[in-house]
Amino acid sequence: MNKNNVIFTLILILFISCQRKETKKVYEKPDYLEYDSFWRIDTLAHNDIYNADTISFHDFYSAEEYNLDDIETIDDRDFVKRTDSLLIFKLKNGKKKILENSKKKYTNFFYLREIPDVNCWLVQGLHNDDHQYNFLVNKNTGIETPIANLPIISPNKKYMVSFSELCTNEGLIQFFRIERDSLSKLWLKIFSNDITPKGIRWKNDSTLFIEMDSACMRERNPKYIELPVGRYMK
């Protein structure tokens, strides 16, 4: 083999190796107990939610609900494909985002739907066959953002909240600013006692209506509160 052939072979091996590294990616399940420094954590000591003004049942349900079924979506077949164990997203930057099911880590991925208001796709992960978790994949960059459950978008499409109930998962509320290529983390509320969010609606662009109730109780005794979130938007 002459010198030119050796150089060509080395370059080809290097190119194939880089391609494999770019496409082979197994998503690790997010652990909400490991809160990173980007969250502005609101613990029980702040008492924002526990001291919030109460509202009536009728006030809460008079606010418009953000229902994903009412959101018009595009045909995703040209952008999202399932091939055996791979979930493949065609990004707007020309690259591909690949999520691979892993028998070794007992992890599987399922595409749920497009979320046009945040320029993302919604994906569900299943870990050990009993732990479900959701995350968003940005259409431009492929960046993943773990969310507590489903997104709830503000009327002006600039902010997003997501919550999970204490008992089924860890009780928490996440608050994000919507940007073109990412979701900025603004505020996180953790529920470590027996009170948990059961529903959230936007009153307006800077105020949330939240339904609170006892966790894991068969008999419901809901409380409805009004929470201004303007100070978290700064």
Side-chain angles (χ1 to χ4, degrees), residues 166 194-196 198 212-217 219-222:
L166 187 67
D194 63 344
I195 302 298
T196 186
K198 293 286 189 176
M212 304 291 295
D213 205 345
S214 298
C216 309
M217 300 294 289
E219 294 185 7
R220 298 194 61 201
N221 184 27

Side-chain angles (χ1 to χ4, degrees), residues 17 22 26 33 45 49-50 63 71-72 81 83 96 118 140 147 156 165 168 175 182-183 190 195 208 217 223 229:
S17 175
E22 181 178 309
V26 176
L33 296 177
I49 283 183
Y50 298 92
I71 307 301
E72 185 177 352
K81 295 185 182 297
T83 305
K96 290 182 180 180
V118 290
N140 294 336
I147 58 176
N156 63 4
E165 298 182 26
T168 54
F175 187 60
S182 65
L183 290 166
I190 308 164
I195 302 298
L208 295 175
M217 300 294 289
K223 172 185 177 182
V229 290

